[in-house]
Amino acid sequence: MPLLRDVYGTVLRRERRRQRRTLDDVASCAGVSLQYLSEIERGRKEASSEILAAICTSLGSGLAAFLAAAHREFAAVERRPVLDLTRPVLPNSLAAASDGTQPVPPPSSILMAA
């Protein structure tokens, strides 16, 4: 499984190249050094959310669209279906029961106290 920084770098590089823009152009618009952007694109540096947002803005996109593209990239690598992240989905186990009883959360969402 790839690291998050690898996938983020792949998505950013793909979009920059799709726009036929140089590292220097995008880096200067985002307010980061060319070397730092290059390292992010190669998956060598883990960028903060603020830096990612600045890079996305310089590419004419938003952080949400970037994260959705990263999600699709992960789904492709794992060969699993992509969830529709544009609409909230409430699992059946958390939906209000028609008989008025309290729903039981799935095991993965139960917190264990020590």
Side-chain angles (χ1 to χ4, degrees), residues 32-54:
V32 299
S33 73
L34 180 146
Q35 293 82 8
Y36 188 53
L37 178 58
S38 175
E39 289 180 331
I40 291 169
E41 284 190 357
R42 288 182 288 135
R44 308 250 177 170
K45 293 287 183 184
E46 195 121 11
S48 68
S49 58
E50 291 87 357
I51 296 294
L52 290 173

Side-chain angles (χ1 to χ4, degrees), residues 61-78:
S61 182
L63 200 50
F66 166 72
L67 293 173
H71 171 76
R72 287 190 298 275
E73 186 75 22
F74 268 114
V77 168
E78 292 185 0

Side-chain angles (χ1 to χ4, degrees), residues 4-56:
L4 193 57
R5 67 177 183 239
D6 292 328
V7 172
Y8 283 179
T10 298
V11 171
L12 290 172
R13 177 172 279 170
R14 183 183 310 130
E15 180 57 23
R16 180 182 59 77
R17 286 181 172 171
R18 188 190 68 74
Q19 293 181 16
R20 297 189 173 153
R21 293 179 61 192
T22 64
L23 276 167
D24 189 43
D25 176 40
V26 174
S28 83
C29 286
V32 299
S33 73
L34 180 146
Q35 293 82 8
Y36 188 53
L37 178 58
S38 175
E39 289 180 331
I40 291 169
E41 284 190 357
R42 288 182 288 135
R44 308 250 177 170
K45 293 287 183 184
E46 195 121 11
S48 68
S49 58
E50 291 87 357
I51 296 294
L52 290 173
I55 295 168
C56 290

